[in-house]
Amino acid sequence: MAYFPLTSRRAFLAGTAALSLATLAGCSTTEVLAPPGSGSDETDTVLGLINKLRQSRGLGPLVRDEAAAKAALSQADRMAKAGKMSHLIGLTDSFLGRMKSQSVALPAAENIAVGQADAAKAFDAWVHSPKHLENMLGPRYSGLGVAVMRNPKSGNHPYWAMVLSSPPVMDMPAAG
């Protein structure tokens, strides 16, 4: 066993501790965290657009659904972190499982998009896609959540998610 004078032993231990901390600091998770402020809830912006569309087709309006808005933000965030547009990210991902775990009233649907500069352009892309339009005009849906998220580590592209849900519509109290 080597003998170190007390001062050298302390220096050695301090150096080892610093090296261990540096190693731990270099550890990372598999998720890339998006910087704060790189995402936003766009539900209120899209709500007027989608309700105008639904009214033109004789359908009732949608209302803001907080659970759907949170689920949309979560999905936009997941796509931005992964750097890809996909409903399912990961081997065990499930749309139904995600909606249930986020308390989104079922039935539900999800529209996604990438690259549109603002909410109106994302909405326009969905209107011009038959399957996305079908979701937006679904008569079973009464709730809406829309979000966008960007992640500089995945190209800073805007990733959009819309969640349509079926929360019970609350009747407005009668004017008295």
Side-chain angles (χ1 to χ4, degrees):
M1 180 172 182
Y3 170 76
F4 295 101
L6 190 56
T7 56
S8 295
R9 195 174 313 162
R10 283 187 184 146
F12 173 78
L13 292 173
T16 304
L19 180 59
S20 295
L21 287 174
T23 303
L24 288 175
C27 290
S28 66
T29 64
T30 56
E31 280 187 16
V32 177
L33 298 178
S38 62
S40 64
D41 181 330
E42 297 290 330
T43 305
D44 295 334
T45 303
V46 175
L47 201 52
L49 298 170
I50 198 168
N51 282 339
K52 184 176 179 182
L53 172 69
R54 288 174 63 90
Q55 182 182 23
S56 75
R57 306 287 176 98
L59 297 166
L62 301 179
V63 297
R64 178 183 182 81
D65 177 3
E66 290 305 321
K70 287 178 185 174
L73 190 59
S74 173
Q75 178 61 13
D77 183 54
R78 288 163 22 96
M79 291 188 300
K81 286 176 181 174
K84 67 178 184 176
M85 183 180 79
S86 179
H87 292 283
L88 303 177
I89 298 172
L91 295 175
T92 61
D93 197 8
S94 153
F95 173 72
L96 184 60
R98 278 191 295 113
M99 294 302 109
K100 284 182 175 182
S101 73
Q102 296 177 47
S103 301
V104 173
L106 302 174
E110 179 177 77
N111 288 349
I112 57 175
V114 65
Q116 293 77 13
D118 59 42
K121 288 185 173 113
F123 176 77
D124 190 55
W126 289 322
V127 166
H128 289 93
S129 165
K131 284 294 200 183
H132 293 111
L133 178 61
E134 181 181 330
N135 283 344
M136 292 189 298
L137 297 176
R140 301 184 310 172
Y141 305 125
S142 56
L144 180 71
V146 180
V148 63
M149 184 67 72
R150 289 176 173 79
N151 186 337
K153 303 237 178 191
S154 64
N156 210 32
H157 304 294
Y159 289 86
W160 295 89
M162 170 190 284
V163 174
L164 297 132
S165 62
S166 304
V169 177
M170 305 302 271
D171 290 330
M172 297 297 289

